[in-house]
Amino acid sequence: MDIIEWSKKLGNYDSTEIMNFISSLPVEAWDEFTDRQTRFPFHEQTKCVAAVFADRSDYPSIKLDTFKYTDELSKLCYPIVECFTYFYFSNPTARQFRVTTAMIVMMPPNSKIGSHSDTHPYFGEAHRLHWCLDGDYEKMDFLIAGNKIAMDKGDLIEINNRMPHEVIYKGDVPRYNLIIDFMRQ
């Protein structure tokens, strides 16, 4: 989304329940959705568990792909959906948006996401949020246009992903963020 800032912090939310879910996942769950890593080499070191992913091949029409864990992740994302609604819309019951992407992204220890900008027109319409679930955030540099974005466990942060951004993670444990895109209906 073309927001003025590099990022906006929307709140901080307990990630215990979703981290319990993540720890219960079988190893093969991380290999169900690999499209993001294979199509975009700067994401090749990450792994994802997707709930919803926007197929933009016929943009502006968007087809929403769902996956094995869509129902469970949708329930666990409910507090974030509610937060977004109240933060952006004066009448949150109007549901003037839709979730077009929701996925858990795991960065292994000592990994990186190379510098890139999300240039597809979709990203000019979507709000991209990161919910920081777990990791050694003191050992992570999340940079947008060269500016380090402070992130702590539980933070919910909207980022301007149309600007050049990259992540350098030097932690000793995996880092887990939930990425959610919202678009107006």
Side-chain angles (χ1 to χ4, degrees), residues 19 22 26 39 54 66 76 82 93 116 119 130 136 162-163 170 173:
M19 285 307 301
I22 290 169
R39 285 185 43 211
T66 58
L76 292 166
E82 288 299 303
T93 58
H116 65 285
T119 58
H130 277 254
D136 194 349
R162 290 178 45 99
M163 298 179 95
K170 299 174 186 165
V173 297

Side-chain angles (χ1 to χ4, degrees), residues 21-22 25-33 37 47-52 67-70 73 102-106 176-179:
F21 169 76
I22 290 169
L25 289 171
V27 174
E28 59 270 12
W30 294 99
D31 295 321
E32 179 188 9
F33 175 73
Q37 297 90 315
K47 294 224 174 220
C48 299
V49 173
V52 177
F67 302 88
K68 183 175 182 176
Y69 298 101
T70 297
L73 283 173
M103 64 183 146
I104 300 166
V105 177
M106 187 270 293
Y176 298 94
N177 276 13
L178 179 76
I179 296 174

Side-chain angles (χ1 to χ4, degrees), residues 22-154:
I22 290 169
S23 66
S24 74
L25 289 171
V27 174
E28 59 270 12
W30 294 99
D31 295 321
E32 179 188 9
F33 175 73
T34 59
D35 183 56
R36 185 171 180 259
Q37 297 90 315
T38 53
R39 285 185 43 211
F40 306 107
F42 36 83
H43 288 296
E44 68 187 356
Q45 294 182 359
T46 66
K47 294 224 174 220
C48 299
V49 173
V52 177
F53 194 74
D55 176 350
R56 304 179 302 266
S57 60
D58 194 26
Y59 189 82
S61 177
I62 296 172
K63 177 181 174 265
L64 299 181
D65 294 329
T66 58
F67 302 88
K68 183 175 182 176
Y69 298 101
T70 297
D71 291 340
E72 292 93 338
L73 283 173
S74 296
K75 291 174 193 166
L76 292 166
C77 293
Y78 186 76
I80 302 312
V81 172
E82 288 299 303
C83 170
F84 179 82
T85 302
Y86 284 102
F87 193 86
Y88 278 100
F89 303 110
S90 59
N91 180 3
T93 58
R95 297 287 185 196
Q96 301 164 339
F97 68 94
R98 61 184 170 153
V99 173
T100 54
T101 296
M103 64 183 146
I104 300 166
V105 177
M106 187 270 293
M107 287 187 74
N110 298 305
S111 61
K112 67 180 181 174
I113 297 172
S115 182
H116 65 285
S117 299
D118 297 330
T119 58
H120 191 283
Y122 163 88
F123 294 108
E125 300 295 325
H127 291 263
R128 162 92 14 127
L129 276 65
H130 277 254
W131 182 17
C132 304
L133 303 175
D134 199 24
D136 194 349
Y137 290 99
E138 291 100 36
K139 294 182 179 178
M140 182 183 78
D141 291 335
F142 194 115
L143 305 169
I144 300 178
N147 299 284
K148 184 175 178 179
I149 306 304
M151 290 185 170
D152 293 308
K153 183 177 178 178

